Structure formats: C-alpha cells, structure tokens
Amino acid sequence: MNDFLKIENAGVHFPGRRGAPDNKAVDGVSLTLAKGEILGLVGESGCGKSTLSRAIMQLQPLTSGRIVLEGQDLSLLSSSQLRTARLNFQMVFQDPYASLNPRLTIFSTLAEAIAARAGHLEKAAAWPLVSQLLERVGLDASAALKYPHEFSGGQRQRIAIARALGPEPRLLIADEPVSALDVSIQSQIINLLQKLSRELQLTMLFVSHDLSVVRYLADRVAVMHRGKIVELGETEPLMSAPQDPYTRTLLAAAPALRMKRPDPAAEKS
C-alpha cells in the first residue's frame, strides 16, 4: 500500500545569531502516514514539532528534504497549484480565538471555508451546509449567527475544527489543539477528533507535548527531541516499553488521562 503522506529527510534550519551555528529546528526527519491513520507527534516545547507541522502545511519552507502528499511533492507546486492542493490538507491551531476572524460571524467563516472547494454559494444554499458542519462538531446551528467572542474556548475550538473540515480535506494537522483548554474540555475535543477521523476517513497528524493524550488517540507515535525523531512505533507497545531515555522521561512526566478509548464495535451495537 502506498503511503498517503511521506516526509523524507525534512530539515528546517534557521541562521544562528552573530555567527553562531544554525538552529536545526527540524533535522533530517522521515515519517510516513497511511490513509486513515492517526499519528501522534510528541515532544517538549521547542523540540521542532510545530515547525514540522508548518512545513507540512507549506507555511514554512524546508531547508532540505521533501514532503509528498498522495504522490505529489508539495514543494514543487506553484502558488496557484499550492492553493488548490491545500484544500486537501488543513490545520487546527492551538489558540482557536487567534485563528478565527473576530469581525466575521461563524456563518461567514464557515461559508468561506466551504466555498474554497465548492465555489461561490448564495446565502440560502450555504445555510444548510454551515448548519451541517456545526452539528458535526457538536454545536447548534444557531451558533452561525454569533461572533467568536461569544463562545467559550472549547466551543471556539469546535468552530476551528469545523472551519478546517469546510474544504473537505483528507489530511488534518492538529497542532496542540487541546493544550489551552481545561482538562474536562480536552477530553471532549479529543473524542470529537477521534469520531471525525473514523466518520470522514481522515488521516491525522496530532501534535502534542502530552503522551497521555496521544496514547488515547493515536494509532502510532513519533517522539521528537531536538529536531529529530528519537522513537517511533505503534502506540501501546511504545508506551508500555519505551526504548529511548527521552521517551521514558516524557512518560514519567505525563499525567494519567482518565478516559476510556471508545470501542467502535460497541458503538455500532
């Protein structure tokens, strides 16, 4: 089976100040994601995981290597080709309020996201699509009439997820999407992402500093330290018997996540 996403020897280096060595934020990273897989990317702040996420989104140019999505090398695309290709990969950011335009109603925000792929829609035609998006992320359709400041942090993150789903992407990159939320709200958003992944057959890169969250959500885990992947494997074997000292340190510092992973078979019964 062909890899859905291939990250091949990716490097992102920033010039050092006053003759200091370059800062190798991402240093020779190679990863693959299969279609429909959730890969957890974990590591402490400053390890390079957010820089790698931005490089996948083509928001940060690579110094070396390449990123191939469904056989297409994203770095070789022109600006117009990239705008079209980006409909297939969307991002959910850590701070939902900063990522939403405070001057736009939720309807306008989501209608704009839907129109990115569907083309211009009259308001009457957009309403049912916006309502459907809101309901999919667990919000009432009446939320479309409000502005971002009228919602809680968890609700705003649901809206940000709905906006990311608007263009009907096949890859979703979630960069620390629950780290700014209360613990009780974190579990709701994690469950929502897992549900959406199954229902929409989304491939997902879930970025977090918290191994306990990733253990619940991800099929596989990649541990990042100082710009490199130091350990990679299926979630339970890696969590149960980590090989790298850095992974063991992260696990020791991770709080227990008091959630049960849903059983898809039980949900269908």
Side-chain angles (χ1 to χ4, degrees):
M1 179 172 55
N2 292 331
D3 294 314
F4 180 78
L5 175 68
K6 294 176 69 175
I7 303 167
E8 299 181 342
N9 197 34
V12 178
H13 301 174
F14 299 105
R17 293 184 178 181
R18 298 179 181 177
D22 287 354
N23 173 20
K24 298 181 179 181
V26 178
D27 188 14
V29 168
S30 293
L31 289 171
T32 61
L33 275 78
K35 186 172 177 58
E37 179 184 27
I38 301 177
L39 176 67
L41 180 63
V42 298
E44 295 174 300
S45 296
C47 72
K49 57 189 188 298
S50 290
T51 302
L52 179 60
S53 300
R54 290 176 60 82
I56 296 170
M57 286 295 300
Q58 302 299 294
L59 299 173
Q60 172 65 53
L62 289 175
T63 305
S64 61
R66 64 181 194 148
I67 293 167
V68 181
L69 179 63
E70 296 184 290
Q72 189 174 49
D73 186 341
L74 299 181
S75 65
L76 300 179
L77 301 181
S78 67
S79 297
S80 60
Q81 289 172 326
L82 183 58
R83 280 194 296 272
T84 301
R86 196 174 272 138
L87 299 176
N88 297 323
F89 54 101
Q90 293 289 305
M91 193 166 188
V92 178
F93 297 91
Q94 178 178 354
D95 184 352
Y97 191 69
S99 69
L100 296 171
N101 188 332
R103 294 185 175 86
L104 294 181
T105 63
I106 304 309
F107 172 82
S108 296
T109 294
L110 297 186
E112 185 178 80
I114 293 167
R117 185 181 293 275
H120 176 72
L121 293 169
E122 296 297 332
K123 191 171 184 179
W127 264 111
L129 298 176
V130 169
S131 298
Q132 185 181 53
L133 264 184
L134 287 169
E135 290 165 5
R136 188 175 284 282
V137 299
L139 293 174
D140 191 87
S142 62
L145 300 172
K146 300 179 181 180
Y147 290 86
H149 73 271
E150 298 181 72
F151 297 92
S152 68
Q155 290 171 327
R156 283 196 288 264
Q157 195 60 288
R158 289 176 185 269
I159 293 165
I161 292 169
R163 182 185 58 183
L165 297 178
E168 301 178 8
R170 296 191 283 276
L171 171 67
L172 188 66
I173 299 172
D175 186 9
E176 297 274 12
V178 299
S179 63
L181 305 177
D182 292 339
V183 173
S184 60
I185 305 301
Q186 287 182 13
S187 63
Q188 296 175 18
I189 299 300
I190 294 164
N191 277 330
L192 173 63
L193 289 171
Q194 189 175 64
K195 178 173 177 283
L196 292 170
S197 176
R198 289 199 306 269
E199 290 179 350
L200 302 177
Q201 297 183 319
L202 282 172
T203 305
M204 189 183 306
L205 179 66
F206 183 88
V207 180
S208 179
H209 65 277
D210 190 339
L211 272 169
S212 63
V213 171
V214 170
R215 183 172 198 167
Y216 176 81
L217 182 66
D219 302 304
R220 287 190 304 137
V221 178
V223 182
M224 196 168 186
H225 183 48
R226 295 183 178 177
K228 296 179 179 290
I229 301 299
V230 297
E231 191 160 0
L232 172 67
E234 293 184 4
T235 302
E236 281 309 314
L238 186 148
M239 297 290 189
S240 300
Q243 300 301 304
D244 190 85
Y246 178 71
T247 308
R248 291 197 289 269
T249 300
L250 284 182
L251 273 170
L257 187 71
R258 298 180 181 180
M259 296 167 57
K260 279 190 173 182
R261 188 160 180 157
D263 181 356
E267 291 181 359
K268 294 177 182 177
S269 61

mmCIF file of all heavy atoms in Angstrom, residues 111-136:
data_model
loop_
_atom_site.group_PDB
_atom_site.id
_atom_site.type_symbol
_atom_site.label_atom_id
_atom_site.label_comp_id
_atom_site.label_asym_id
_atom_site.label_seq_id
_atom_site.Cartn_x
_atom_site.Cartn_y
_atom_site.Cartn_z
ATOM 1 N N ALA A 111 -18.882 29.511 5.803
ATOM 2 C CA ALA A 111 -19.293 29.589 4.399
ATOM 3 C C ALA A 111 -18.085 29.836 3.499
ATOM 4 O O ALA A 111 -17.984 29.278 2.401
ATOM 5 C CB ALA A 111 -20.336 30.689 4.218
ATOM 6 N N GLU A 112 -17.156 30.652 3.982
ATOM 7 C CA GLU A 112 -15.932 30.927 3.230
ATOM 8 C C GLU A 112 -15.099 29.655 3.077
ATOM 9 O O GLU A 112 -14.524 29.393 2.012
ATOM 10 C CB GLU A 112 -15.139 32.002 3.974
ATOM 11 C CG GLU A 112 -13.901 32.492 3.264
ATOM 12 C CD GLU A 112 -13.210 33.589 4.057
ATOM 13 O OE1 GLU A 112 -12.476 33.261 5.019
ATOM 14 O OE2 GLU A 112 -13.421 34.767 3.736
ATOM 15 N N ALA A 113 -15.017 28.850 4.146
ATOM 16 C CA ALA A 113 -14.254 27.600 4.090
ATOM 17 C C ALA A 113 -14.887 26.601 3.129
ATOM 18 O O ALA A 113 -14.201 25.926 2.355
ATOM 19 C CB ALA A 113 -14.156 26.994 5.489
ATOM 20 N N ILE A 114 -16.204 26.516 3.148
ATOM 21 C CA ILE A 114 -16.911 25.604 2.245
ATOM 22 C C ILE A 114 -16.725 26.039 0.798
ATOM 23 O O ILE A 114 -16.491 25.226 -0.097
ATOM 24 C CB ILE A 114 -18.414 25.553 2.609
ATOM 25 C CG1 ILE A 114 -18.601 24.908 3.984
ATOM 26 C CG2 ILE A 114 -19.211 24.793 1.553
ATOM 27 C CD1 ILE A 114 -19.990 25.082 4.563
ATOM 28 N N ALA A 115 -16.802 27.366 0.568
ATOM 29 C CA ALA A 115 -16.694 27.899 -0.793
ATOM 30 C C ALA A 115 -15.303 27.708 -1.386
ATOM 31 O O ALA A 115 -15.141 27.747 -2.610
ATOM 32 C CB ALA A 115 -17.064 29.378 -0.796
ATOM 33 N N ALA A 116 -14.293 27.482 -0.526
ATOM 34 C CA ALA A 116 -12.939 27.283 -1.037
ATOM 35 C C ALA A 116 -12.881 26.114 -2.012
ATOM 36 O O ALA A 116 -12.143 26.153 -2.992
ATOM 37 C CB ALA A 116 -11.975 27.045 0.126
ATOM 38 N N ARG A 117 -13.684 25.080 -1.770
ATOM 39 C CA ARG A 117 -13.732 23.953 -2.701
ATOM 40 C C ARG A 117 -14.987 23.991 -3.572
ATOM 41 O O ARG A 117 -14.939 23.704 -4.768
ATOM 42 C CB ARG A 117 -13.680 22.617 -1.951
ATOM 43 C CG ARG A 117 -13.615 21.412 -2.903
ATOM 44 C CD ARG A 117 -13.581 20.082 -2.166
ATOM 45 N NE ARG A 117 -12.380 19.862 -1.393
ATOM 46 C CZ ARG A 117 -11.259 19.358 -1.890
ATOM 47 N NH1 ARG A 117 -11.173 19.050 -3.173
ATOM 48 N NH2 ARG A 117 -10.209 19.166 -1.105
ATOM 49 N N ALA A 118 -16.111 24.342 -2.969
ATOM 50 C CA ALA A 118 -17.382 24.255 -3.688
ATOM 51 C C ALA A 118 -17.609 25.417 -4.648
ATOM 52 O O ALA A 118 -18.465 25.337 -5.524
ATOM 53 C CB ALA A 118 -18.538 24.178 -2.686
ATOM 54 N N GLY A 119 -16.854 26.517 -4.482
ATOM 55 C CA GLY A 119 -17.108 27.701 -5.279
ATOM 56 C C GLY A 119 -18.134 28.585 -4.589
ATOM 57 O O GLY A 119 -18.682 28.247 -3.534
ATOM 58 N N HIS A 120 -18.409 29.738 -5.177
ATOM 59 C CA HIS A 120 -19.321 30.700 -4.571
ATOM 60 C C HIS A 120 -20.698 30.091 -4.349
ATOM 61 O O HIS A 120 -21.253 29.420 -5.217
ATOM 62 C CB HIS A 120 -19.453 31.943 -5.451
ATOM 63 C CG HIS A 120 -20.457 32.926 -4.922
ATOM 64 N ND1 HIS A 120 -20.224 33.683 -3.799
ATOM 65 C CD2 HIS A 120 -21.713 33.240 -5.356
ATOM 66 C CE1 HIS A 120 -21.287 34.447 -3.569
ATOM 67 N NE2 HIS A 120 -22.191 34.200 -4.494
ATOM 68 N N LEU A 121 -21.230 30.330 -3.152
ATOM 69 C CA LEU A 121 -22.559 29.849 -2.805
ATOM 70 C C LEU A 121 -23.422 31.022 -2.365
ATOM 71 O O LEU A 121 -22.974 31.878 -1.595
ATOM 72 C CB LEU A 121 -22.481 28.827 -1.660
ATOM 73 C CG LEU A 121 -21.806 27.489 -1.950
ATOM 74 C CD1 LEU A 121 -21.574 26.741 -0.649
ATOM 75 C CD2 LEU A 121 -22.648 26.660 -2.908
ATOM 76 N N GLU A 122 -24.646 31.057 -2.837
ATOM 77 C CA GLU A 122 -25.590 32.036 -2.323
ATOM 78 C C GLU A 122 -25.903 31.702 -0.870
ATOM 79 O O GLU A 122 -25.782 30.551 -0.436
ATOM 80 C CB GLU A 122 -26.881 32.032 -3.155
ATOM 81 C CG GLU A 122 -26.697 32.462 -4.601
ATOM 82 C CD GLU A 122 -26.215 33.905 -4.733
ATOM 83 O OE1 GLU A 122 -26.519 34.705 -3.814
ATOM 84 O OE2 GLU A 122 -25.540 34.221 -5.720
ATOM 85 N N LYS A 123 -26.302 32.714 -0.114
ATOM 86 C CA LYS A 123 -26.516 32.530 1.319
ATOM 87 C C LYS A 123 -27.508 31.407 1.601
ATOM 88 O O LYS A 123 -27.301 30.578 2.502
ATOM 89 C CB LYS A 123 -27.012 33.838 1.938
ATOM 90 C CG LYS A 123 -27.008 33.849 3.454
ATOM 91 C CD LYS A 123 -27.297 35.249 3.981
ATOM 92 C CE LYS A 123 -27.187 35.279 5.507
ATOM 93 N NZ LYS A 123 -27.439 36.633 6.043
ATOM 94 N N ALA A 124 -28.574 31.352 0.823
ATOM 95 C CA ALA A 124 -29.601 30.322 1.044
ATOM 96 C C ALA A 124 -29.039 28.916 0.846
ATOM 97 O O ALA A 124 -29.412 27.983 1.556
ATOM 98 C CB ALA A 124 -30.785 30.557 0.109
ATOM 99 N N ALA A 125 -28.121 28.780 -0.096
ATOM 100 C CA ALA A 125 -27.524 27.468 -0.355
ATOM 101 C C ALA A 125 -26.469 27.127 0.690
ATOM 102 O O ALA A 125 -26.236 25.940 0.983
ATOM 103 C CB ALA A 125 -26.915 27.444 -1.750
ATOM 104 N N ALA A 126 -25.824 28.149 1.259
ATOM 105 C CA ALA A 126 -24.757 27.906 2.234
ATOM 106 C C ALA A 126 -25.296 27.546 3.613
ATOM 107 O O ALA A 126 -24.651 26.808 4.357
ATOM 108 C CB ALA A 126 -23.861 29.144 2.338
ATOM 109 N N TRP A 127 -26.489 28.047 3.947
ATOM 110 C CA TRP A 127 -27.017 27.831 5.305
ATOM 111 C C TRP A 127 -27.061 26.349 5.699
ATOM 112 O O TRP A 127 -26.569 25.981 6.774
ATOM 113 C CB TRP A 127 -28.405 28.452 5.444
ATOM 114 C CG TRP A 127 -28.382 29.828 6.032
ATOM 115 C CD1 TRP A 127 -28.676 31.001 5.405
ATOM 116 C CD2 TRP A 127 -28.027 30.189 7.367
ATOM 117 N NE1 TRP A 127 -28.528 32.065 6.249
ATOM 118 C CE2 TRP A 127 -28.133 31.602 7.462
ATOM 119 C CE3 TRP A 127 -27.619 29.466 8.492
ATOM 120 C CZ2 TRP A 127 -27.852 32.288 8.645
ATOM 121 C CZ3 TRP A 127 -27.337 30.151 9.673
ATOM 122 C CH2 TRP A 127 -27.454 31.540 9.730
ATOM 123 N N PRO A 128 -27.661 25.471 4.897
ATOM 124 C CA PRO A 128 -27.718 24.068 5.325
ATOM 125 C C PRO A 128 -26.346 23.419 5.449
ATOM 126 O O PRO A 128 -26.145 22.555 6.307
ATOM 127 C CB PRO A 128 -28.564 23.389 4.233
ATOM 128 C CG PRO A 128 -28.542 24.323 3.077
ATOM 129 C CD PRO A 128 -28.402 25.688 3.632
ATOM 130 N N LEU A 129 -25.388 23.842 4.624
ATOM 131 C CA LEU A 129 -24.041 23.275 4.699
ATOM 132 C C LEU A 129 -23.324 23.744 5.964
ATOM 133 O O LEU A 129 -22.627 22.961 6.628
ATOM 134 C CB LEU A 129 -23.245 23.668 3.451
ATOM 135 C CG LEU A 129 -23.806 23.168 2.124
ATOM 136 C CD1 LEU A 129 -22.976 23.704 0.953
ATOM 137 C CD2 LEU A 129 -23.844 21.644 2.083
ATOM 138 N N VAL A 130 -23.500 25.030 6.301
ATOM 139 C CA VAL A 130 -22.916 25.553 7.540
ATOM 140 C C VAL A 130 -23.557 24.875 8.750
ATOM 141 O O VAL A 130 -22.862 24.474 9.700
ATOM 142 C CB VAL A 130 -23.093 27.082 7.607
ATOM 143 C CG1 VAL A 130 -22.746 27.612 9.002
ATOM 144 C CG2 VAL A 130 -22.221 27.763 6.558
ATOM 145 N N SER A 131 -24.865 24.729 8.729
ATOM 146 C CA SER A 131 -25.561 24.067 9.840
ATOM 147 C C SER A 131 -25.078 22.636 10.016
ATOM 148 O O SER A 131 -24.872 22.172 11.143
ATOM 149 C CB SER A 131 -27.080 24.079 9.584
ATOM 150 O OG SER A 131 -27.571 25.400 9.516
ATOM 151 N N GLN A 132 -24.881 21.955 8.898
ATOM 152 C CA GLN A 132 -24.405 20.574 8.949
ATOM 153 C C GLN A 132 -23.008 20.495 9.562
ATOM 154 O O GLN A 132 -22.718 19.601 10.371
ATOM 155 C CB GLN A 132 -24.400 19.984 7.543
ATOM 156 C CG GLN A 132 -24.035 18.511 7.475
ATOM 157 C CD GLN A 132 -24.035 18.002 6.052
ATOM 158 O OE1 GLN A 132 -23.393 18.568 5.167
ATOM 159 N NE2 GLN A 132 -24.785 16.932 5.806
ATOM 160 N N LEU A 133 -22.134 21.445 9.203
ATOM 161 C CA LEU A 133 -20.787 21.476 9.775
ATOM 162 C C LEU A 133 -20.840 21.700 11.283
ATOM 163 O O LEU A 133 -20.126 21.036 12.048
ATOM 164 C CB LEU A 133 -19.963 22.592 9.131
ATOM 165 C CG LEU A 133 -19.034 22.253 7.969
ATOM 166 C CD1 LEU A 133 -18.256 23.485 7.560
ATOM 167 C CD2 LEU A 133 -18.085 21.120 8.326
ATOM 168 N N LEU A 134 -21.654 22.642 11.715
ATOM 169 C CA LEU A 134 -21.749 22.934 13.146
ATOM 170 C C LEU A 134 -22.279 21.725 13.914
ATOM 171 O O LEU A 134 -21.767 21.388 14.994
ATOM 172 C CB LEU A 134 -22.646 24.148 13.378
ATOM 173 C CG LEU A 134 -22.036 25.497 12.984
ATOM 174 C CD1 LEU A 134 -23.086 26.593 12.986
ATOM 175 C CD2 LEU A 134 -20.886 25.863 13.926
ATOM 176 N N GLU A 135 -23.282 21.097 13.382
ATOM 177 C CA GLU A 135 -23.841 19.918 14.054
ATOM 178 C C GLU A 135 -22.826 18.782 14.099
ATOM 179 O O GLU A 135 -22.777 18.013 15.064
ATOM 180 C CB GLU A 135 -25.126 19.479 13.353
ATOM 181 C CG GLU A 135 -26.280 20.468 13.567
ATOM 182 C CD GLU A 135 -27.441 20.249 12.617
ATOM 183 O OE1 GLU A 135 -27.403 19.255 11.840
ATOM 184 O OE2 GLU A 135 -28.380 21.065 12.643
ATOM 185 N N ARG A 136 -22.001 18.678 13.072
ATOM 186 C CA ARG A 136 -20.988 17.619 13.039
ATOM 187 C C ARG A 136 -19.971 17.765 14.165
ATOM 188 O O ARG A 136 -19.452 16.769 14.673
ATOM 189 C CB ARG A 136 -20.271 17.617 11.686
ATOM 190 C CG ARG A 136 -19.324 16.428 11.489
ATOM 191 C CD ARG A 136 -18.725 16.401 10.112
ATOM 192 N NE ARG A 136 -19.651 15.943 9.097
ATOM 193 C CZ ARG A 136 -19.955 14.664 8.895
ATOM 194 N NH1 ARG A 136 -19.424 13.729 9.635
ATOM 195 N NH2 ARG A 136 -20.788 14.334 7.930
#
